[in-house]
Amino acid sequence: ILESALTEFADHGFEGASADAIARRVGISQPYLFRLFGTKKELFLATIRRCMDDELERFRAASTGLSGAEALSAMGSAYVEMITTDPRRLRGQMQAYAACDDPDVAAVTREGFGRLDGQTIRVHEGNLYDAPRDTGATVPLGSVRLLTPVRPSKMIALWNNYAQLAAKLGLSRPPEPLYFMKSLNSLL
C-alpha cells in the first residue's frame, strides 16, 4: 500500500492525490484503506515515515565503517543512486516539503531528519561539501528546535524534461530552459 501511496503522492502531492486511486492500484476498497490508515493524511504521514526510514537505512549501509568526508561521499552516492533508480523518492520528498505548512507533516519531516543522527547532533565546522571537520562536540537533539527544510509560499521549478516532450510531440525545442511557478493555492 505504501509503495502505491508513494507513487500517487509523488505524482500529485498531498492535496491532489486520490485515496481511491491508491486503493484501486493495490486491489482493495477505499473504505478498507481508510480502515487501515484512518485518513488520507495518516496515509501520507506513513508514506513520509517509510521514505525517511528507507533513506536512513541506505545512509547507514553506505557509510558503515567510514567516517568524515568518506562517509559523507558514500551517503551522497547512495542518495543519488536512490533518486536515479526510483525518481518517486525525490518527488515524494519534495511533495512532503511542499506540504509542510501542515504542522503534522512538518513534524514528521523534522522527525525523519532528526533520526538521521540519532538523539545527538554532532557539531562540524567548515564547508559541508568540502572536508567538514568534526569538532567532537555533540548537542542533545531535544535541546534544539529543528526547522522544516522548507515552508514554501510558492514553488519555482525547472521543467527539465521539456526537450524530451517537445521532441515526442514534434514541437521545436525552446531556446531557454522553461521554469514554472506554483503557488500553494493554485492547481496544476
Side-chain angles (χ1 to χ4, degrees):
I1 293 172
L2 293 178
E3 281 297 310
S4 292
L6 175 59
T7 300
E8 183 71 11
F9 289 127
D11 288 348
H12 304 287
F14 173 65
E15 294 295 332
S18 163
D20 186 54
I22 295 166
R24 277 186 279 121
R25 192 175 283 128
V26 295
I28 62 174
S29 68
Q30 185 180 20
Y32 185 63
L33 179 70
F34 285 130
R35 184 171 184 188
L36 294 172
F37 290 95
T39 64
K40 183 171 90 168
K41 181 176 175 179
E42 288 302 319
L43 177 57
F44 186 63
L45 297 176
T47 304
I48 294 170
R49 284 186 188 101
R50 179 165 183 209
C51 284
M52 292 289 193
D53 289 345
D54 289 350
E55 191 172 319
L56 173 60
E57 287 309 311
R58 286 174 193 259
F59 287 170
R60 283 184 177 152
S63 64
T64 298
L66 304 174
S67 64
E70 245 186 319
L72 186 61
S73 178
M75 289 187 296
S77 295
Y79 183 76
V80 168
E81 180 185 343
M82 177 186 73
I83 64 173
T84 302
T85 57
D86 189 356
R88 295 174 313 151
R89 301 282 176 181
L90 178 60
R91 291 193 322 270
Q93 196 174 34
M94 295 297 111
Q95 295 289 7
Y97 300 156
C100 277
D101 278 354
D102 180 295
D104 297 326
V105 174
V108 168
T109 303
R110 283 192 301 270
E111 172 189 303
F113 278 101
R115 282 195 325 261
L116 292 180
D117 202 23
Q119 294 304 308
T120 60
I121 299 172
R122 293 179 89 40
V123 178
H124 287 72
E125 60 186 14
N127 184 336
L128 174 66
Y129 301 103
D130 186 21
R133 293 168 306 286
D134 187 340
T135 65
T138 60
V139 177
L141 185 59
S143 71
V144 298
R145 181 172 174 231
L146 296 174
L147 299 176
T148 304
V150 66
R151 265 183 213 248
S153 62
K154 297 168 188 61
M155 179 173 51
I156 299 177
L158 169 64
W159 188 359
N160 63 356
N161 66 345
Y162 183 78
Q164 294 168 345
L165 179 62
K168 180 179 176 181
L169 298 176
L171 302 172
S172 62
R173 183 181 180 144
E176 311 248 340
L178 296 179
Y179 293 86
F180 69 91
M181 187 201 77
K182 179 190 179 296
S183 60
L184 290 178
N185 58 355
S186 69
L187 298 173
L188 289 179

